Amino acid sequence: AQSVTQLDSQVPVFEEAPVELRCNYSSSVSVYLFWYVQYPNQGLQLLLKYLSGSTLVKGINGFEAEFNKSQTSFHLRKPSVHISDTAEYFCAVSSSGGYQKVTFGTGTKLQVIP
Amino acid sequence: DTEVTQTPKHLVMGMTNKKSLKCEQHMGHRAMYWYKQKAKKPPELMFVYSYEKLSINESVPSRFSPECPNSSLLNLHLHALQPEDSALYLCASRPRTSGGADTGELFFGEGSRLTVL
């Protein structure tokens, strides 16, 4: 079984400030990890993914995430946020064995304050 | 073409109606998904089709009936729905390649917003 925990339901941050959105996962096998962003009334868009290799992953819109196997974490970071980053962010996990099933965390609403 | 197209974008139906949601992709992806998303909640997996065969059914009520007529098309037939079924229904596709080269990324459509009266 696999699961994802996003502890922060909302994260307010001032424009141009750095931000970190936290994600912890649980799985008994190797995993693929993802961050998706959802803007209001839209579908989900992939920000970045970790499959293997380098633990620091860079994505679109200046976001990056670091895979930490010992802490089972995959936190998302951006050094300077913009108003347009206001959205819902979902962490997701897919086990490399039963790879058809993708499980999403409960989401974190990033609210950028002007 | 890197799009997943869902129609209609909005649907209002009564509890006795029969309607369908449609999803189409032309990226050659061989796995297609239906998710249900309630407001301020994460997407919940409903069904997965792999190579046009139903491979995952997450104990979804029979009033939802999926269909995959070909590798590009996925339908969700709706009948006798309840008001609590009102939600955003998201379709996604995923590359499935032999030799284990599946990256796991899902490509989502913009969703069909369903309201059941």
Side-chain angles (χ1 to χ4, degrees):
Chain A
Q2 59 193 32
S3 66
V4 179
T5 302
Q6 293 181 248
L7 289 172
D8 305 307
S9 59
Q10 290 191 66
V11 173
V13 62
F14 286 102
E15 193 173 14
E16 297 183 5
V19 69
E20 178 179 85
L21 305 184
R22 297 182 294 168
C23 172
N24 288 88
Y25 69 92
S26 173
S27 175
S28 56
V29 297
S30 298
V31 295
Y32 299 147
L33 292 159
F34 308 87
W35 276 99
Y36 286 86
V37 60
Q38 185 176 33
Y39 299 101
N41 299 311
Q42 292 190 23
L44 281 73
Q45 179 185 7
L46 183 73
L47 274 179
L48 49 78
K49 61 189 175 189
Y50 172 78
L51 305 179
S52 64
S54 173
T55 57
L56 184 62
V57 179
K58 293 191 183 298
I60 62 171
N61 301 341
F63 284 94
E64 64 180 34
E66 185 154 20
F67 171 63
N68 187 319
K69 188 174 181 179
S70 62
Q71 297 187 6
T72 60
S73 67
F74 190 55
H75 301 332
L76 181 71
R77 302 186 185 99
K78 186 169 183 177
S80 176
V81 296
H82 190 267
I83 291 289
S84 59
D85 293 323
T86 295
E88 192 83 26
Y89 291 78
F90 292 99
C91 184
V93 63
S94 174
S95 295
S96 58
Y99 51 81
Q100 289 189 76
K101 194 166 183 177
V102 181
T103 303
F104 288 86
T106 51
T108 298
K109 176 66 184 292
L110 175 62
Q111 182 70 46
V112 180
I113 304 162
Chain B
D1 185 357
T2 58
E3 281 191 351
V4 176
T5 304
Q6 289 188 244
T7 54
K9 291 194 186 307
H10 299 274
L11 178 63
V12 179
M13 60 187 291
M15 290 190 284
T16 58
N17 292 157
K18 281 186 182 181
K19 297 285 185 184
S20 296
L21 305 180
K22 179 181 171 181
C23 174
E24 200 163 0
Q25 58 88 16
H26 297 286
M27 295 178 280
H29 294 174
R30 301 308 297 273
M32 295 185 77
Y33 295 65
W34 279 116
Y35 280 90
K36 173 182 177 181
Q37 187 179 28
K38 303 281 274 184
K40 300 186 188 302
K41 297 290 186 185
E44 295 176 36
L45 183 63
M46 299 175 74
F47 302 104
V48 180
Y49 273 83
S50 179
Y51 292 94
E52 296 89 70
K53 287 185 170 30
L54 183 64
S55 59
I56 296 178
N57 178 341
E58 290 289 275
S59 303
V60 178
S62 60
R63 58 185 184 269
F64 295 92
S65 175
E67 179 196 19
C68 189
N70 59 58
S71 59
S72 300
L73 191 56
L74 184 67
N75 298 320
L76 186 63
H77 303 299
L78 314 169
H79 174 53
L81 295 193
Q82 304 297 309
E84 60 264 29
D85 297 321
S86 298
L88 181 68
Y89 288 83
L90 293 164
C91 174
S93 69
R94 175 171 176 171
R96 281 294 304 272
T97 57
S98 60
D102 185 352
T103 63
E105 177 182 353
L106 293 177
F107 292 74
F108 282 88
E110 294 204 345
S112 293
R113 185 161 298 283
L114 173 67
T115 302
V116 182
L117 301 176

